[in-house]
Each structure stands twice: as C-alpha cells, then as structure tokens.
Amino acid sequence: KRGVFFLEMLSMELKRAGAYVSRGLSFNSAEFQTVEVGLTPEQIGIYDDACRLWHEVRVQLTLAIEATNSKSRVMSQYWGSHQRFFRQLCVSFKVERVCDEAKQAMDDGCAIVIGLQTTGAAGMERRLNNGFGAGAAFLSSARECLIYFLDNNFPTVVQADDPKEKAARGGGGDVEVIG
C-alpha cells in the first residue's frame, strides 16, 4: 500500500541502523568457486557426538511432553533449533578452510568478499547480555542454540487435561513442576 518510495525509505533507515546489508557489489570480473571441505576425524567425532546428543534430547523431550501433557508445538521448536544447531556446526567446520583460501587469494593479489548469512551473532549477543558466558575464552553459537532451546522450550510444568479439570483447579493450567 505504501509503494516503492516507502520501501526505499525503509531500506535507507535499516542500512543506517546497520540492520540491512546492501548487495551493491559489482559482479564484473568476479570469479566464484565451490570448494568441498572434507571433515577431519575430530570433526566427524564431534558431528557424531552432536547427533547422539540431539537424539537423546528428542527422546527425553518426548517423555517430558507425555509427562506434562504439553502440546506438540514444542517439537516444531525442537526441529527448528536442531536445524540451526547443525547449520552453525557445519559453518564452523568450514572456517579454517575459508581462512586459508582467503589468505591464498590475498597473496595472489585478489580482493576477497566473504558473506556469512548465519553467524549466530544475534543469539550469542542475547546470551552475553543475560550474563551467560561472561569471561569465557571461547563461545560456541551452536552450543548456545541448544542451551537456548532447553532453557526456553523444554516442558517442566504439567498441563491440565481439559477445561473442566483446569477450572476445578482454580482456572490455572499449571499443576505441578517436575523437578
């Protein structure tokens, strides 16, 4: 309804605030290459451990949903967090190779542009603002993704079965905290 002018004004304001990235680079003489990054045995072990961890979280989450009579919406939160976690993990596995490729290209006299669309910076900033990780030498955005899910979505309060039962308990759905 507001038209193209509004969109231009909005994008200018977002750019000014640092919340919007303009893709105004020229592609003239640009070269792209896809490089397959093999995993080291250590990275394979980390990935396998992460798979086992997320499997155990899913098993325990399913049990907690049944024990608390929670709605299945928690599972969609689980799968979203699962996807963000593994995306961050896979990006982290590529960092060393990307740095090596960039250094080689700079040594060859090339200009380098690296785009990171999924840095996990917003989640890390949120956790740091809440006092988590203060003073830590290394913070993992993948780890913080898992912790955030567990802190905010893992059901621990038993929900009433039906409206009559809820009303009999004084209108509240929170019955018992599992701990």
Side-chain angles (χ1 to χ4, degrees):
K1 291 183 179 181
R2 295 184 175 126
V4 175
F5 178 74
F6 172 76
L7 293 175
E8 285 294 323
M9 295 300 294
L10 177 63
S11 67
M12 287 173 41
E13 179 59 26
L14 289 172
K15 282 185 207 176
R16 186 193 63 73
Y20 178 74
V21 177
S22 176
R23 306 252 192 261
L25 298 174
S26 170
F27 290 106
N28 291 340
S29 301
E31 294 179 16
F32 299 88
Q33 69 183 56
T34 301
V35 178
E36 187 173 322
V37 179
L39 296 178
T40 66
E42 180 185 11
Q43 290 171 331
I44 292 169
I46 291 169
Y47 189 90
D48 289 346
D49 288 346
C51 290
R52 283 189 286 276
L53 173 67
W54 277 92
H55 174 74
E56 185 61 27
V57 168
R58 185 170 51 86
V59 167
Q60 295 303 319
L61 181 61
T62 303
L63 293 173
I65 288 170
E66 291 171 9
T68 61
N69 196 28
S70 297
K71 302 297 178 211
S72 64
R73 173 96 175 104
V74 176
M75 289 309 291
S76 68
Q77 294 294 326
Y78 166 84
W79 288 113
S81 296
H82 179 275
Q83 199 170 37
R84 281 187 296 279
F85 174 91
F86 280 100
R87 181 176 44 221
Q88 291 297 330
L89 186 62
C90 289
V91 166
S92 73
F93 288 160
K94 298 175 186 180
V95 169
E96 187 175 348
R97 177 68 182 270
V98 168
C99 290
D100 291 344
E101 293 283 332
K103 287 175 187 174
Q104 182 60 49
M106 286 182 2
D107 291 345
D108 294 344
C110 298
I112 314 235
V113 176
I114 300 172
L116 296 174
Q117 280 74 33
T118 56
T119 62
M124 292 297 289
E125 186 174 329
R126 179 181 58 243
R127 296 289 287 180
L128 288 171
N129 288 339
N130 290 332
F132 294 97
F138 176 77
L139 294 174
S140 164
S141 58
R143 178 181 179 272
E144 295 302 322
C145 180
L146 173 62
I147 292 171
Y148 183 80
F149 168 75
L150 293 173
D151 285 348
N152 293 287
N153 296 292
F154 203 89
T156 57
V157 177
V158 176
Q159 303 296 315
D161 288 330
D162 59 42
K164 291 178 185 176
E165 186 178 338
K166 186 176 179 180
R169 293 190 175 120
D174 300 343
V175 179
E176 166 188 358
V177 175
I178 299 172

